[in-house]
Amino acid sequence: MRKQILIVGAGFAGMWAALSAARLADKNNGQAIDITVIAPQPELRVRPRFYESHVETLVSPLMPLFDATGVTFLRGTVSDIHTDSRSVSWKDANGESHQHGYDRLILASGSHVNRSFISGVAEHAFDLDQLESAAVLEKHLQSLAKKPESEARNTVVVCGGGFTGIEMAMELPGRLRDILGSNAKTRVVVVERGPQPGSRYSEELRNVVIDASNELGVEWRVNAEVESVDATGVTLKDGQRIASSTVIWTVGVQASDLTAQIDAPRDRQGRLHVDANLQVVGHKEIFATGDVAYAATDDKGNHALMTCQHAILLGKFAGNNAAASLLGVEPSPYRQEMYVTCLDLGAWGAVYTEGWDQQVKLTREEAKKLKVSIVSELIYPPKAERTAAFEMADPYAPFV
Ligand SMILES: Cc1cc2nc3c(=O)[nH]c(=O)nc-3n(C[C@H](O)[C@H](O)[C@H](O)COP(=O)(O)OP(=O)(O)OC[C@H]3O[C@@H](n4cnc5c(N)ncnc54)[C@H](O)[C@@H]3O)c2cc1C
């Protein structure tokens, strides 16, 4: 009887999990394992670039790659996980319901920004979390040019000064100039709960963020929290009001809701606790990977972040270990000691740091070149060529 590995999600983690499982099965004389991915689209959506324009182009097709590596793709959405019967319920693109059994389940259904907990955010704010919502934001920004000049039209408020908020904010002065003309008096305001711009980062990185903000004219409202958002702007908890037609929400990222269907410990963001082999605690037949996994990266207490840097490697280890557990092969414990960040800072350039203490190694144009090569080459899927794809899917293949 052929064994079934079922992967939910075709993002960075799901795609690499599929390739890595197929690689190990192939290495073990193509033993009888079926590898199936269920996801709404057979494409990798390059979420780290969603602050850019032309967002609809930031996808990469996966069917040729899955065909070349013997991975089956089912287009649809998983609604329920039945851990007792080892099966999932899913709906195809026509809305028809199906069941799919598994011997090993790899949950790789990613994350989403939560817009429901502050008044007016769901109705009036934009986000750049998913392709569809980022496309709505882009269309709205373009439409500003047709609206009458006003302070609200010319002001964009970015709620949250984490990496996503910073990259979006630094991109906006240039974007707004292109849309509204260089004479328009535009404002970009970041609303941040912390006491300084980038206060949750190292001092070195923070200073770079402050320098770039000053040079680009990006304002920060620090020690500030959003009370509510409406059609004409943002009200802060201290009563201050910022008139704006464009409020962008970047905080409160949560793991996919499917994690709640598995009876296992989860962290504050809903990520499932996993052991070193990425098996969900208490469920040897379920692996969690990418943004749904709370996984230790080393023995020093560091854990994977919701980044594609971690999702790619987590995916490779999860796929490998799911296949290993069916093949009777030793698993490979997940390790990712190296942690880097590369943050786009718009026309200022970029900044590249190394280590969990975020030592700044490159800035400005040098870092920008690296950023471009990371987001336009390194994180894209491999060529649809079996040998090359399997080589890269090896969890121990060189990676950052
Ligand atoms: C604006 C933005 C900027 C970012 N910038 C960076 C950056 O600079 N560097 C960095 O490293 N990371 C960055 N990230 C984070 C990075 O994009 C994520 O960590 C990464 O995408 C996680 O990969 P994943 O495979 O776990 O999830 P995803 O890439 O989100 O993929 C999830 C997959 O699961 C599918 N799915 C979801 N629900 C279901 C379901 N019910 N049934 C079936 N399929 C389902 C989705 O369609 C998708 O295919 C950024 C994210 C955003 C939004």
Side-chain angles (χ1 to χ4, degrees):
M1 183 87 161
R2 293 180 70 81
K3 297 285 186 189
Q4 304 291 325
I5 295 181
L6 180 62
I7 299 164
V8 182
F12 295 95
M15 173 197 70
W16 282 111
L19 298 179
S20 186
R23 167 191 170 274
L24 199 70
D26 182 71
K27 229 178 125 197
N28 286 270
N29 308 319
Q31 282 192 37
I33 297 180
D34 290 333
I35 297 155
T36 305
V37 175
I38 302 182
Q41 300 87 19
E43 62 191 20
L44 180 77
R45 296 180 157 199
V46 187
R47 292 176 74 201
R49 297 183 63 179
F50 285 177
Y51 63 91
E52 296 182 24
S53 49
H54 307 296
V55 73
E56 72 289 348
T57 63
L58 303 175
V59 296
S60 187
L62 291 176
M63 270 335 288
L65 180 62
F66 286 158
D67 287 344
T69 50
V71 172
T72 302
F73 179 80
L74 298 175
R75 186 172 193 150
T77 304
V78 171
S79 57
D80 296 285
I81 299 170
H82 313 287
T83 51
D84 290 343
S85 60
R86 295 193 178 187
S87 66
V88 303
S89 303
W90 65 283
K91 276 202 171 118
D92 67 23
N94 302 318
E96 279 183 38
S97 299
H98 306 267
Q99 302 272 323
H100 200 293
Y102 61 80
D103 296 290
R104 297 292 178 268
L105 178 70
I106 303 181
L107 191 61
S109 46
S111 59
H112 58 271
V113 74
N114 186 352
R115 301 200 318 180
S116 64
F117 60 97
I118 301 274
S119 166
V121 170
E123 300 86 343
H124 300 291
F126 296 88
D127 71 64
L128 57 149
D129 187 60
Q130 304 292 329
L131 186 73
E132 291 78 5
S133 55
V136 170
L137 169 62
E138 182 170 5
K139 203 165 157 210
H140 167 80
L141 287 171
Q142 294 294 344
S143 77
L144 292 174
K146 296 198 196 85
K147 297 199 169 133
E149 163 103 34
S150 71
E151 194 188 327
R153 183 200 72 160
N154 290 0
T155 302
V156 178
V157 178
V158 176
C159 302
F163 286 151
T164 301
I166 292 172
E167 289 196 319
M168 183 75 248
M170 301 299 174
E171 174 86 356
L172 279 165
R175 287 275 282 279
L176 291 174
R177 252 195 320 277
D178 290 347
I179 295 165
L180 300 175
S182 47
N183 292 329
K185 200 168 171 303
T186 62
R187 276 179 83 198
V188 176
V189 184
V190 181
V191 176
E192 164 61 29
R193 194 160 45 174
Q196 288 174 62
S199 49
R200 64 192 99 165
Y201 309 128
S202 71
E203 193 182 345
E204 270 191 291
L205 177 55
R206 190 159 63 235
N207 288 338
V208 170
V209 171
I210 292 170
D211 186 27
S213 300
N214 291 341
E215 194 169 304
L216 297 173
V218 170
E219 298 170 37
W220 286 71
R221 291 283 170 93
V222 292
N223 294 315
E225 278 187 64
V226 174
E227 171 73 24
S228 63
V229 177
D230 58 45
T232 57
V234 177
T235 306
L236 303 182
K237 285 218 162 110
D238 65 2
Q240 283 186 67
R241 174 94 191 144
I242 310 170
S244 170
S245 315
T246 314
V247 178
I248 304 176
W249 193 257
T250 69
V251 289
V253 176
Q254 284 291 312
S256 148
D257 298 342
L258 289 176
T259 55
Q261 297 189 22
I262 298 169
D263 182 17
R266 294 187 296 150
D267 76 345
R268 280 178 48 218
Q269 290 178 289
R271 298 183 299 171
L272 290 156
H273 285 233
V274 290
D275 65 16
N277 297 329
L278 306 184
Q279 276 159 309
V280 173
V281 171
H283 295 267
K284 287 286 176 206
E285 71 294 353
I286 303 180
F287 293 71
T289 190
D291 281 2
V292 300
Y294 180 69
T297 54
D298 53 34
D299 298 325
K300 296 174 201 139
N302 296 308
H303 284 79
L305 301 174
M306 285 183 168
T307 70
C308 124
Q309 168 184 179
H310 290 106
I312 289 171
L313 213 58
L314 283 165
K316 293 181 187 180
F317 276 93
N320 181 84
N321 290 345
S325 70
L326 293 174
L327 294 165
V329 171
E330 274 300 299
S332 302
Y334 166 69
R335 272 286 170 278
Q336 191 162 6
E337 309 258 343
M338 178 78 166
Y339 169 57
V340 304
T341 57
C342 200
L343 204 54
D344 197 344
L345 298 173
W348 189 90
V351 56
Y352 168 74
T353 71
E354 282 180 4
W356 288 93
D357 54 349
Q358 296 172 325
Q359 305 155 38
V360 171
K361 297 290 178 187
L362 299 173
T363 57
R364 299 266 187 188
E365 272 318 298
E366 264 186 306
K368 190 82 158 192
K369 273 191 214 140
L370 182 63
K371 178 76 179 177
V372 170
S373 80
I374 291 171
V375 296
S376 57
E377 290 166 31
L378 185 75
I379 64 173
Y380 271 68
K383 272 201 203 113
E385 204 277 310
R386 191 177 173 89
T387 311
F390 283 168
E391 221 167 90
M392 288 177 71
D394 182 345
Y396 297 111
F399 185 60
V400 288

